[in-house]
Amino acid sequence: MHTNPVSPLLQLQGLQIAYGGIQAVKGIDLELFKGELVCLIGANGAGKTTTLNAIAGVLPLAGGEIRYNGDRINAVPAHKRLRQGIALVPEGRGIFTRLTVEENLRMGAYTRTDKDGIEADLEKVYTMLPRVKERLPQVAGTLSGGEQQMVAIGRALLSRPRLLLLDEPSMGLAPLVVEKIFEVVQSVAKEGVTILLVEQNANLALEFAQRGYVMESGKVTLTGSGESLLADPKVRAAYLGEAA
Ligand SMILES: Nc1ncnc2c1ncn2[C@@H]1O[C@H](COP(=O)(O)OP(=O)(O)OP(=O)(O)O)[C@@H](O)[C@H]1O
Ligand SMILES: [Mg+2]
């Protein structure tokens, strides 16, 4: 693969996804450039999780295409996408509750064979997430919600992603913990990882992201810089609890 500096790392064109006969995503376009932190916001059921899962390759497409680094990856299975650098932190975190924290982290590297690289990346994760390092032998199911989210992010980082897909990392967490998680997300972005962040917490997401997309009923209805969306009266009315 060669990289054209101006071509997007990820490009969705007319993406359609259906469950049975019901269309959940109805032809969306989205672009993500290398190094960007972009958020996808929208109400319950808008199709955000469906979109992320399709990018990760765990859901088939009903139409349209996904281009990654210039290549059409519609038919590439999920484990190969992971090896190509697309990592998903799923809604609800998806950690292995009976395994230890360290085992969970190492699972993230299951497609890799470069032992030294894995150890180096573990050290990086420990530096970024000292709280996780303190709890390596603990069974992951006994961690707090915030700690579990950090383990889920750490596990994804162990695949050495180029594109990190985060599905509602703030869900169910107290404000202070959410802040901590967002600091981690930002430090991951600073390392050069491109991030697509799904959030219901629109205020926070738009503050952190350079750009955002708003989804409604399976369609992208609005896109722009984080700042412009935060100031948009439609966004404020729909997602930030203000009167229109
Ligand atoms: N496995 C499934 N089978 C059938 N329909 C589904 C399935 N998963 C999701 N849907 C439907 O697809 C639509 C989009 O769901 P999705 O989970 O992508 O929304 P979302 O934007 O992530 O919402 P939330 O903010 O609540 O997580 C919804 O109408 C949902 O009911
Ligand atoms: Mg969702």
Side-chain angles (χ1 to χ4, degrees):
M1 270 191 259
H2 71 280
T3 313
N4 177 340
V6 292
S7 75
L9 178 64
L10 177 76
Q11 187 169 29
L12 309 181
Q13 287 176 322
L15 198 74
Q16 296 176 40
I17 307 150
Y19 296 104
I22 298 167
Q23 281 237 318
V25 173
K26 302 167 184 164
I28 64 168
D29 298 327
L30 180 149
E31 277 180 346
L32 210 56
F33 291 88
K34 194 172 181 310
E36 277 194 308
L37 169 49
V38 171
C39 70
L40 182 57
I41 60 174
N44 287 118
K48 306 180 298 296
T49 296
T50 303
T51 301
L52 278 202
N53 287 346
I55 298 168
V58 296
L59 275 179
L61 302 187
E65 83 179 3
I66 305 179
R67 286 187 169 271
Y68 176 64
N69 211 22
D71 294 326
R72 189 177 201 266
I73 59 163
N74 288 29
V76 176
H79 69 275
K80 286 207 178 133
R81 292 190 203 186
L82 181 64
R83 208 171 291 149
Q84 290 174 2
I86 302 178
L88 170 68
V89 178
E91 194 172 67
R93 298 155 196 146
I95 61 164
F96 302 99
T97 53
R98 292 177 187 213
L99 299 185
T100 66
V101 168
E102 183 172 356
E103 286 164 341
N104 266 279
L105 292 176
R106 287 184 182 276
M107 289 292 279
Y110 85 99
T111 60
R112 295 172 63 178
T113 50
D114 58 321
K115 275 198 178 143
D116 294 348
I118 293 171
E119 297 309 314
D121 285 350
L122 270 174
E123 287 304 322
K124 264 197 190 170
V125 166
Y126 297 160
T127 308
M128 201 180 284
L129 304 167
R131 184 77 169 262
V132 166
K133 188 183 182 186
E134 282 166 22
R135 285 161 192 277
L136 292 178
Q138 189 171 332
V139 172
T142 62
L143 295 172
S144 73
E147 289 163 352
Q148 289 191 8
Q149 187 63 59
M150 287 187 199
V151 170
I153 294 172
R155 185 182 59 186
L157 292 178
L158 258 298
S159 69
R160 203 177 269 188
R162 297 179 63 192
L163 172 61
L164 184 62
L165 308 169
L166 292 170
D167 199 348
E168 301 216 30
S170 76
M171 198 201 285
L173 304 178
L176 274 177
V177 182
V178 171
E179 220 168 273
K180 179 77 200 145
I181 297 282
F182 270 76
E183 277 169 23
V184 168
V185 171
Q186 217 164 26
S187 59
V188 173
K190 283 209 181 97
E191 294 267 309
V193 179
T194 306
I195 298 178
L196 183 56
L197 168 70
V198 161
E199 262 297 336
Q200 285 236 12
N201 190 335
N203 222 346
L204 195 63
L206 291 172
E207 228 172 78
F208 274 84
Q210 286 134 24
R211 294 192 297 117
Y213 289 83
V214 179
M215 266 188 99
E216 279 170 53
S217 311
K219 292 185 179 152
V220 168
T221 52
L222 215 54
T223 180
S225 69
E227 239 169 79
S228 70
L229 290 177
L230 260 181
D232 189 296
K234 277 175 290 188
V235 173
R236 302 200 69 81
Y239 305 107
L240 305 176
E242 287 186 6

